[in-house]
Amino acid sequence: MYKFLEATVADHMTRSVKSVSREMTMRELEDQFERDDYNAYPVVENTRAIGLVTKYDFLSCFAFHPTQMLPHYDDLMNRTVGDIMTPDFIYVHADTKLTRVLQLMVEHQTRSIPVLEDDRKLEGIISREDVIKALASFTKTAP
């Protein structure tokens, strides 16, 4: 368990990350969610992460609210990622401790967190599965 306390994101993150652009339509985003079976994508512009879009963001467009009339389905599906993304999102750096990532995931009930360089350049992503694998690898006892 002590090794987990010292572990950092750099050794456990996924470096090959699929991202989306703010111009992508909801219809295209829906197709990509289905194809990749991901729960979130960083929104990237000129190699810099400018937001995060999740399945929750997608679904919230269809939620009924007493103060809002539901738009036509085709109108919703023609909206863009830029319309629904979260511009203020949680991110970490490669040197962030996994204990901090675990804490952020639990506090914010998030499944994955983008890993950014200081200039907000996308470096990777760390998921719940990555943290679980790291925890398991450091806590297994030899037979």
Side-chain angles (χ1 to χ4, degrees):
M1 185 67 171
Y2 291 110
K3 288 183 180 180
F4 181 77
L5 298 176
E6 295 303 316
T8 62
V9 169
D11 295 326
H12 301 281
M13 69 182 186
T14 301
R15 292 183 184 276
S16 175
V17 182
K18 288 189 178 184
S19 61
V20 297
S21 72
R22 72 168 62 216
E23 291 82 21
M24 177 181 270
T25 66
M26 294 254 307
R27 192 173 313 279
E28 294 167 326
L29 180 64
E30 178 184 42
D31 291 342
Q32 192 154 335
F33 275 135
E34 186 175 325
R35 208 174 25 254
D36 298 332
D37 195 31
Y38 290 172
N39 288 297
Y41 293 102
V43 182
V44 175
E45 189 172 87
N46 299 324
T47 73
R48 306 289 182 263
I50 60 166
L52 188 70
V53 65
T54 66
K55 284 183 177 175
Y56 177 82
D57 296 323
F58 182 90
L59 290 174
S60 67
C61 294
F62 297 94
F64 291 96
H65 301 283
T67 59
Q68 165 186 331
M69 290 183 58
L70 185 65
H72 190 269
Y73 178 79
D74 286 332
D75 293 339
L76 284 174
M77 294 305 282
N78 287 324
R79 292 178 71 190
T80 65
V81 166
D83 295 331
I84 67 166
M85 72 179 191
T86 303
D88 298 321
F89 58 97
I90 297 166
Y91 62 90
V92 294
H93 297 288
D95 62 352
T96 303
K97 299 279 189 204
L98 285 183
T99 53
R100 177 65 179 143
V101 172
L102 178 58
Q103 178 186 14
L104 289 168
M105 286 180 168
V106 170
E107 282 178 14
H108 299 280
Q109 298 180 358
T110 186
R111 293 179 176 219
S112 54
I113 300 175
V115 181
L116 306 182
E117 294 178 4
D118 288 333
D119 59 357
R120 290 185 71 113
K121 184 176 180 187
L122 184 62
E123 190 171 0
I125 199 159
I126 184 97
S127 69
R128 286 181 188 172
E129 290 79 11
D130 297 328
V131 175
I132 289 169
K133 285 178 190 173
L135 187 57
S137 74
F138 291 128
T139 57
K140 284 185 180 165
T141 56

